[in-house]
Amino acid sequence: MREPKWRESGEDPDYRFSLANERTFLAWIRTALAILAGAVLLEEFSTKIGPHWVTVVLAVVLGALSAVLAVVAYVRWRANEIAMRERRRLPLTVAVPLIAAVVLAVAAVLTVLIAIYGR
């Protein structure tokens, strides 16, 4: 595999920081996979709550969030690596409030559906 251009700039960070950054990347990927599993579970087994189209929309939203998080995980990992190489502050991320907002919205809608249609 060809080494990316950005790895030629700055100096190599302490390997412990690079490994910690990699573990963080993997945690984001696990989160994306868990959200995707929730989307599949919701669509597959939500026969008793609300109109089916609403649960399908919620599942699609969760699936899209999962895909976005997978991309954000890589972008964030790369940005952190570059910042460490150039001895800059680590960049902020929009992923945390994004996850919180989407999961809050889906949870709120599901709670209402369960309260209305649940048996």
Side-chain angles (χ1 to χ4, degrees):
M1 186 171 158
R2 192 173 58 94
E3 190 164 68
K5 201 80 157 149
W6 58 264
R7 286 187 50 108
E8 296 173 7
S9 68
E11 58 187 55
D12 287 337
D14 185 327
Y15 72 91
R16 293 172 293 180
F17 299 126
S18 289
L19 291 174
N21 191 30
E22 186 175 315
R23 285 190 301 273
T24 302
F25 166 78
L26 293 172
W28 284 106
I29 294 297
R30 283 191 304 272
T31 301
L33 286 171
I35 290 172
L36 181 60
V40 170
L41 183 72
L42 178 62
E43 202 289 317
E44 191 64 30
F45 296 107
S46 64
T47 58
K48 294 182 181 180
I49 56 169
H52 183 67
W53 70 268
V54 175
T55 56
V56 169
V57 168
L58 292 176
V60 168
V61 166
L62 288 175
L65 175 63
S66 174
V68 167
L69 282 181
V71 172
V72 167
Y74 173 76
V75 170
R76 182 166 169 75
W77 169 82
R78 182 180 178 274
N80 287 345
E81 283 293 317
I82 292 170
M84 288 188 298
R85 296 183 75 75
E86 297 176 0
R87 298 194 179 276
R88 291 183 310 185
R89 293 178 69 179
L90 297 180
L92 295 174
T93 182
V94 298
V96 174
L98 174 68
I99 294 169
V102 171
V103 171
L104 173 66
V106 169
V109 171
L110 282 174
T111 301
V112 169
L113 289 177
I114 290 169
I116 294 172
Y117 297 100
R119 297 167 212 230

